[in-house]
Amino acid sequence: MSDIKGTENKSAIPKDDEEKRVGVFVCECGVNIGGVVNTKAVADYIGTLPGVKVTSVNKFTCSDSGQADIQAKIKEHNLNRVVVAACSPKTHEPTFRACIEEMGLNQYFLEFVNIRDHCSWIHMWEKEKATEKAKDLVRMGVERSKLLEPLQASEVPVTDKALVIGAGVAGMQSALDLADMGFHVYLVEKEPSIGGRMARFDKVFPTNDCSICILGPKMVEVARNKNIHIMSYSEVKAVDGYVGNFNVKIEHKPRYLDVAKCTGCAKCSEVCPVEVPYDFNEGLGTRKAIYVPFPQAVPLRALIDMDNCISCKACAKACESKAINYDMEPSYTDVNVGVIIGAVGFKTYDPEPRHDFGYGLYDNIITAMEFERLLNAAGPTGGHVVRPSDCKEPIRVGFVNCVGSRDKNTNIYCSGVCCMYTIKNAQLLKEKRPETDHTIMYIDIRTPFRGYEESYNRSRNLGVKFLRGRPVEVTEDPVTKNIKVRVEDTLTQEMRNLEFDLMVLATGIVPNEGIGQIQQLLKLSKAADGLLMEAHPKLKPVDTTIDGVFLAGCASGPKDIPYAVSQGSACAGRATIMLKNKKAITEGITAVVNPDVCVGCEVCISMCPFQAIRMDEQAVKANVVKALCKGCGTCVAACPTGALEQSHFKNNQILAQVKNVFKFQEVAA
Amino acid sequence: MSGVAGQTAAKTDGWEPKIVAFCCNWCSYGGADSAGMGRFQQPASARIIRVMCSGRIDPLHVFNAFLEGADAVLVTGCHIGDCHYVNGNDKTKIKYKYLENVAHELGIEKERLQLNWISASEGEKFANFIRDVTAQIKKLGPSPLKPEGVA
Ligand SMILES: Cc1cc2nc3c(=O)[nH]c(=O)nc-3n(C[C@H](O)[C@H](O)[C@H](O)COP(=O)(O)OP(=O)(O)OC[C@H]3O[C@@H](n4cnc5c(N)ncnc54)[C@H](O)[C@@H]3O)c2cc1C
Ligand code: SF4
Ligand code: SF4
Ligand code: FES
């Protein structure tokens, strides 16, 4: 025991003689805090603590008047420490740091106590306990604040280049905007062509314009732009460094041909004897082992799918430009960039494993993505929607909405786009073949945004039927292969037995393959839906908690195309602030070695994931390289002698909080 | 430790344990924020202390919390693989084994020291964790290490 207490001398700090004059500002956050916590009682109690010179309760401490109150009281009471008891430091600490800094106080003299998210919001019906807890939390903060030391935030230079990961419509937009502002962009796309999902659609809601006709020119624009370096069929393998200075390793998967020589003529495909399901068509139809991804692909170059190649070498003979090289290995490029935009998109929910609504059991049930490809004039059937069992064009088509969405057995969230794309798809087929009959089975129809409700009305006018209910039983007629559905019309409360020639599942938006790897490489969080998390759902929708890393498009939640494009532009705008200023501010929090105490055991060196600790020239004392230290404090907790401290999270500061969880002084008195 | 029996007997239904929860800035602290944003109600027992990474949590902090009167101490951080600083939580995991052993030596019941990985979006998980630990501690009563008269 004694040695545990004994290690307290770890926290030996230089004497700070100035008297601590603490001001405490308790926020009511409207009724968010004030409706539960008795803020006045908290302020009154805190006012009795030694060193607290003034307390104040504000309706909204973050408002202009709230901040003015802080500044006035700093002046009036000559405060040298400020405690704000309000919401979360994760969102509001910068506001108050700037507020006190304006008054000449070091910004690290602010202590932020969370009495909303961690108190009033989670004890809504226990007002007294919440008030007592708030008192504890603020007391902890006050005692910590007295031990805070001044620090300097550091400025880091920003390399004026950007990396965009994922070249769907969102990532392309980011790349174009940044390039047009004069910054060099590396655009990394894991597929052999840029374009993302949108390249596969026939038409896009709500206006039903031809998808590739609007996307194609954009893809070409990206390719032509001198500031954009497309790295297709490539993946990010390692990310090192920090805002302003990320070192990124990119792997280029071998295409088994020289892209500089290949002209995309596809003569090789003509002679290749191997046929495999065509991934771009959702596995419908076939492609060859050597193929050009699709006619509008950018770059328009072939590649060999080595998994299926039988090495007959027919393609090498057919290729006039002698581009084929069967021995190609992956190659790598290292780039240095100042900012990173993640736009890795999504994939659609896979109904196969659970056989949702009979998918995978019966031939004539397909997904919406498959339907999109069938509708597409460039698709496997030249734009004829046929059913898989007999390649006949269906008359009666059923659509099931919310497959893999709004379902506690799969995903509880709404994928946002499925109502609209189902309406679109029913409309498109109805227009092509007016004799067809369409029934959309839905939970709710959601049509926000301009033109969406109008599109819904249009489909009704065309004769598309809407049935509110989810199929409870789906079977197949063994002879006709038609799909039989039992479904309750929940508006009339009647059980209906319907028969369709083809049924289409509106599968939802789920995280893309490899999103976990991107998350780990960029050090991001995932939200409850498994997609990447933004810094703040309202106010920082394209920022992340990692400085210099931004998110656009479906990578951070289900979105339609206009929303994804807006986010692409938003990311470019946010990133430009750093790229243009050529500098970014980073936290001043680092590890610090006390050379008088360090015995040179090197334990800390093995702890640091960033190789920020080195031995000094005589190899007797540890040295923290400030520019490399990210201030996690792991080395500090490991140092056996107490020579290491973490600024702003020093042992004495943390222990002050620990001690003040409890009210022992009072009871003892 | 003489007062333990008396204290345990004296516990009432209204007794709220005091739990010190160490959270890392990037994940579990965010999880606690998300619990708030989602209004996931939980007992008013936990007092959160924020550190940048779970790797910063020192045995010194944990045992001081017990000596000061914590009925339970929670060590929390990002899921393995998700640590903002690459692998601070791997080190926490190793350290935690040591903490468990020492806690055992000191006669601290295992429910009083718990490790959990909670992401910034797992508000409900955070709330459930606090609720579960609080229920377990209410059964055990105040910590045997709690100094006399500490609230
Ligand atoms: C069936 C269906 C129909 C739809 N119809 C419409 C419509 O009509 N109108 C509309 O507005 N919206 C529609 N949407 C929504 C639309 O698809 C999305 O809004 C849009 O595609 C989002 O663009 P994105 O760039 O975020 O993602 P994506 O289009 O998915 O692009 C992401 C890109 O990143 C790449 N990538 C992924 N991981 C990596 C990695 N690790 N490294 C490098 N690159 C990577 C991918 O290969 C892809 O090219 C529909 C969606 C579905 C499912
Ligand atoms: S070598 Fe491979 S890719 Fe080329 S033609 Fe033969 S099977 Fe096709
Ligand atoms: S605080 Fe973290 S990053 Fe800094 S030297 Fe220590 S272990 Fe390395
Ligand atoms: S930052 Fe959360 S455990 Fe390291």
Side-chain angles (χ1 to χ4, degrees):
Chain A
M1 287 304 304
S2 56
D3 56 311
I4 295 166
K5 275 275 182 186
T7 48
E8 243 182 358
N9 64 12
K10 261 188 176 184
S11 47
I13 43 155
K15 275 239 174 320
D16 182 1
D17 289 331
E18 202 194 351
E19 186 206 353
K20 298 300 160 353
R21 309 174 63 84
V22 188
V24 181
F25 299 85
V26 183
C27 183
E28 302 215 289
C29 194
V31 293
N32 284 303
I33 296 169
V36 176
V37 170
N38 183 339
T39 47
K40 177 153 187 318
V42 173
D44 287 348
Y45 161 71
I46 292 298
T48 66
L49 298 180
V52 176
K53 299 297 168 199
V54 61
T55 63
S56 180
V57 176
N58 272 293
K59 258 255 153 328
F60 292 102
T61 311
C62 59
S63 70
D64 237 9
S65 62
Q67 293 194 49
D69 182 48
I70 295 177
Q71 296 190 332
K73 294 212 161 70
I74 289 175
K75 207 164 164 196
E76 189 182 333
H77 300 272
N78 191 21
L79 301 176
N80 52 20
R81 295 293 185 281
V82 170
V83 176
V84 174
C87 47
S88 175
K90 295 195 61 120
T91 55
H92 281 63
E93 194 171 57
T95 308
F96 294 106
R97 279 185 171 178
C99 168
I100 70 163
E101 199 164 40
E102 260 181 32
M103 297 304 290
L105 283 190
N106 184 280
Q107 54 164 313
Y108 290 90
F109 285 161
L110 171 81
E111 175 62 13
F112 203 109
V113 180
N114 190 334
I115 58 167
R116 187 188 71 182
D117 313 47
H118 294 185
C119 191
S120 63
W121 274 353
I122 55 171
H123 313 306
M124 287 161 78
W125 302 297
E126 294 188 293
K127 296 190 178 185
E128 259 164 49
K129 283 187 176 172
T131 303
E132 287 313 302
K133 176 169 167 178
K135 287 181 186 170
D136 289 353
L137 293 173
V138 183
R139 184 179 59 235
M140 290 159 67
V142 166
E143 294 309 322
R144 174 177 149 86
S145 80
K146 294 182 193 165
L147 300 169
L148 292 176
E149 295 171 22
L151 291 179
Q152 223 52 55
S154 42
E155 238 175 42
V156 293
V158 172
T159 307
D160 61 351
K161 295 190 171 85
L163 169 71
V164 178
I165 310 173
V169 71
M172 282 165 44
Q173 188 65 41
S174 291
L176 280 171
D177 286 2
L178 285 169
D180 286 347
M181 287 187 272
F183 302 111
H184 190 86
V185 183
Y186 301 100
L187 178 58
V188 174
E189 167 58 54
K190 74 169 179 197
E191 296 294 327
S193 170
I194 62 170
R197 284 277 150 177
M198 192 180 164
R200 304 187 189 196
F201 303 149
D202 180 37
K203 304 220 161 49
V204 278
F205 66 73
T207 42
N208 296 359
D209 22 10
C210 158
S211 191
I212 200 71
C213 313
I214 54 176
L215 189 73
K218 227 182 171 76
M219 290 162 66
V220 174
E221 212 185 316
V222 170
R224 278 216 192 105
N225 196 307
K226 294 210 162 38
N227 281 337
I228 301 179
H229 182 161
I230 299 178
M231 295 176 170
S232 60
Y233 211 39
S234 301
E235 277 179 53
V236 173
K237 287 291 160 190
V239 180
D240 223 16
Y242 46 87
V243 56
N245 185 23
F246 293 105
N247 294 309
V248 183
K249 185 179 257 340
I250 298 158
E251 180 188 77
H252 312 296
K253 293 175 271 189
R255 283 177 183 257
Y256 302 102
L257 48 81
D258 182 345
V259 285
K261 291 185 187 159
C262 174
T263 59
C265 70
K267 291 225 167 82
C268 51
S269 308
E270 285 166 23
V271 299
C272 176
V274 180
E275 288 196 30
V276 290
Y278 192 4
D279 31 12
F280 187 74
N281 278 342
E282 300 293 313
L284 302 170
T286 59
R287 62 157 168 81
K288 297 295 182 65
I290 186 165
Y291 65 109
V292 174
F294 55 99
Q296 300 84 357
V298 170
L300 192 66
R301 297 289 181 269
L303 71 154
I304 297 179
D305 159 12
M306 252 326 152
D307 290 343
N308 288 300
C309 168
I310 55 166
S311 293
C312 70
K313 313 225 152 113
C315 52
K317 282 176 219 133
C319 178
E320 286 164 9
S321 347
K322 305 269 166 278
I324 314 275
N325 170 7
Y326 299 107
D327 303 319
M328 226 170 177
E329 297 280 336
S331 59
Y332 297 87
T333 309
D334 292 307
V335 300
N336 179 262
V337 295
V339 297
I340 299 177
I341 296 172
V344 292
F346 69 102
K347 65 174 187 187
T348 46
Y349 170 78
D350 180 8
E352 175 94 49
R354 284 170 36 93
H355 297 306
D356 300 81
F357 303 105
Y359 186 89
L361 299 177
Y362 312 130
D363 288 347
N364 291 328
I365 301 179
I366 62 173
T367 65
M369 259 333 278
E370 291 164 342
F371 191 86
E372 296 270 356
R373 291 311 295 159
L374 290 172
L375 264 179
N376 196 310
T381 53
H384 296 280
V385 173
V386 296
R387 56 186 216 152
S389 70
D390 50 14
C391 282
K392 288 211 179 100
E393 294 192 298
I395 298 291
R396 296 163 300 174
V397 184
F399 294 87
V400 185
N401 272 12
C402 305
V403 179
S405 308
R406 303 185 67 197
D407 178 348
K408 67 173 195 284
N409 297 313
T410 55
N411 298 304
I412 57 156
Y413 57 88
C414 169
S415 291
V417 293
C418 318
C419 284
M420 280 305 298
Y421 75 59
T422 300
I423 289 170
K424 165 187 80 175
N425 286 338
Q427 256 174 45
L428 291 175
L429 185 56
K430 183 82 186 165
E431 281 169 352
K432 258 190 194 170
R433 293 179 40 235
E435 71 278 18
T436 50
D437 183 71
H438 301 270
T439 308
I440 298 179
M441 289 161 277
Y442 68 95
I443 304 178
D444 298 290
I445 291 290
R446 297 182 168 175
T447 60
F449 309 124
R450 176 179 288 166
Y452 288 21
E453 184 70 6
E454 291 85 335
S455 174
Y456 164 71
N457 289 335
R458 195 162 168 271
S459 63
R460 290 208 91 123
N461 293 339
L462 277 170
V464 175
K465 291 177 221 149
F466 287 81
L467 189 157
R468 187 168 176 277
R470 268 165 105 68
V472 287
E473 192 182 276
V474 179
T475 51
E476 179 190 60
D477 183 315
V479 181
T480 61
K481 302 282 175 193
N482 288 346
I483 301 299
K484 295 177 147 179
V485 170
R486 260 168 75 72
V487 52
E488 183 192 346
D489 184 334
T490 55
L491 294 179
T492 59
Q493 289 176 356
E494 274 170 301
M495 250 358 240
R496 305 268 302 271
N497 293 303
L498 304 176
E499 191 168 325
F500 300 115
D501 305 322
L502 178 71
M503 191 159 91
V504 186
L505 306 185
T507 49
I509 285 179
V510 296
N512 222 334
E513 265 130 38
I515 202 162
Q517 201 195 352
I518 293 293
Q519 179 211 353
Q520 295 195 351
L521 285 172
L522 300 179
K523 305 265 152 275
L524 303 176
S525 305
K526 272 189 197 170
D529 55 15
L531 293 154
L532 300 174
M533 197 148 122
E534 67 283 57
H536 190 278
K538 288 117 196 165
L539 299 179
K540 288 187 177 171
V542 300
D543 292 26
T544 66
T545 48
I546 308 303
D547 287 343
V549 177
F550 306 90
L551 295 173
C554 289
S556 57
K559 285 169 194 91
D560 56 18
I561 293 163
Y563 192 174
V565 171
S566 313
Q567 285 209 322
S569 285
C571 280
R574 298 289 294 161
T576 300
I577 299 173
M578 289 175 181
L579 296 172
K580 173 118 197 320
N581 290 338
K582 293 200 168 60
K583 62 179 187 210
I585 309 291
T586 60
E587 278 275 16
I589 299 170
T590 60
V592 186
V593 185
N594 179 346
D596 296 341
V597 184
C598 174
V599 295
C601 70
E602 304 192 11
V603 166
C604 54
I605 295 186
S606 64
M607 284 292 136
C608 178
F610 307 104
Q611 289 83 46
I613 312 184
R614 318 231 158 122
M615 293 309 279
D616 62 6
E617 270 150 38
Q618 297 77 37
V620 287
K621 306 277 177 196
N623 227 327
V624 176
V625 185
K626 284 236 159 116
L628 294 178
C629 172
K630 299 202 176 145
C632 63
T634 302
C635 57
V636 182
C639 173
T641 64
L644 270 165
E645 271 289 15
Q646 182 188 11
S647 52
H648 213 55
F649 290 91
K650 298 181 76 160
N651 279 321
N652 66 334
Q653 296 165 343
I654 295 173
L655 289 175
Q657 284 175 285
V658 169
K659 218 182 189 74
N660 282 283
V661 166
F662 310 97
K663 271 188 289 194
F664 60 100
Q665 302 101 326
E666 276 173 36
V667 183
Chain B
M1 286 190 199
S2 53
V4 178
Q7 281 179 15
T8 313
K11 79 177 166 169
T12 62
D13 282 346
W15 178 69
E16 197 72 83
K18 271 205 176 163
I19 299 172
V20 175
F22 292 100
C23 292
C24 81
N25 183 58
W26 304 98
C27 294
S28 50
Y29 190 92
D33 279 2
S34 294
M37 268 184 267
R39 309 295 194 277
F40 293 114
Q41 301 302 300
Q42 48 190 281
S45 50
R47 304 290 181 268
I48 290 176
I49 295 176
R50 177 168 69 125
V51 288
M52 294 312 278
C53 175
S54 70
R56 174 69 183 97
I57 302 165
D58 194 313
L60 172 75
H61 310 147
V62 172
F63 291 110
N64 263 287
F66 278 121
L67 293 179
E68 297 291 354
D71 297 303
V73 177
L74 309 178
V75 174
T76 69
C78 312
H79 288 273
I80 295 296
D82 288 356
C83 171
H84 185 70
Y85 308 96
V86 187
N87 54 16
N89 49 5
D90 286 334
K91 289 150 196 163
T92 306
K93 206 163 117 186
I94 297 166
K95 198 162 26 187
Y96 186 75
K97 281 260 170 292
Y98 159 80
L99 288 176
E100 268 184 324
N101 289 339
V102 179
H104 183 75
E105 297 283 304
L106 293 174
I108 299 171
E109 299 93 327
K110 64 181 192 330
E111 290 84 350
R112 297 194 192 275
L113 177 64
Q114 299 200 27
L115 175 74
N116 210 336
W117 309 130
I118 300 172
S119 83
S121 63
E122 291 176 328
E124 193 166 10
K125 178 173 178 187
F126 193 96
N128 290 341
F129 181 44
I130 299 299
R131 193 173 317 121
D132 291 348
V133 176
T134 307
Q136 290 165 8
I137 302 302
K138 278 194 168 175
K139 271 203 201 118
L140 289 178
S143 160
L145 296 189
K146 201 193 260 301
E148 201 83 40
V150 163

